[in-house]
Amino acid sequence: QVELVESGGGSVQAGGSLRLSCTTSAYTYENNCIGWFRQAPGKEREGVAAIYTNGPATYYADSVKGRFAISRDNAKNAVHLQMNSLKPEDTAMYYCAANLGPAYCSGGPRSMHTIWGQGTQVTVSS
């Protein structure tokens, strides 16, 4: 069973920073578009950022451009999301996702074969 292990959530004040990490198996990590989604109470799940593990392609939602940065660690089969200048509206459950499909990392549609992590809570207070 494919597993995505997330870590790094927590509570911060507005303007603060958090770093989320997602690790998986080498099999899942290789040649994959992996990213982060978030879902706030009463809202739909939305894409935040994604990165292709074997190339330069990345995707960012407009709402996080300039504040969040996604990166990868090929030696550890990990994808990280550095979140800076956090706002209360960033409060949500954040989910790591893999098998997004190569198109998604270039701003295209998400694959129907996406797999999900369990989620990690991020809370930003004003």
Side-chain angles (χ1 to χ4, degrees):
Q1 184 171 344
V2 178
E3 185 176 61
L4 301 173
V5 180
E6 299 134 325
S7 62
S11 297
V12 293
Q13 290 189 326
S17 299
L18 285 172
R19 185 174 185 250
L20 306 183
S21 296
C22 174
T23 58
T24 187
S25 68
Y27 178 80
T28 297
Y29 182 85
E30 186 175 0
N31 199 32
N32 205 331
C33 178
I34 299 176
W36 292 91
F37 288 68
R38 66 187 181 187
Q39 188 167 20
K43 294 187 176 181
E44 293 187 357
R45 191 172 295 190
E46 63 174 355
V48 175
I51 189 167
Y52 197 65
T53 59
N54 278 27
T58 58
Y59 161 81
Y60 289 96
D62 288 342
S63 58
V64 306
K65 284 180 180 177
R67 300 188 298 123
F68 291 11
I70 193 167
S71 62
R72 63 181 188 236
D73 185 339
N74 292 348
K76 297 182 179 179
N77 303 324
V79 171
H80 307 291
L81 183 68
Q82 179 65 43
M83 305 185 294
N84 299 324
S85 301
L86 282 162
K87 304 175 181 179
E89 51 262 45
D90 294 318
T91 295
M93 185 71 79
Y94 282 69
Y95 297 90
C96 180
N99 297 353
L100 292 168
Y104 188 83
C105 272
S106 299
R110 177 169 63 83
S111 168
M112 62 182 293
H113 302 295
T114 298
I115 56 174
W116 301 93
Q118 294 298 308
T120 185
Q121 179 68 36
V122 171
T123 302
V124 185
S125 59
S126 58

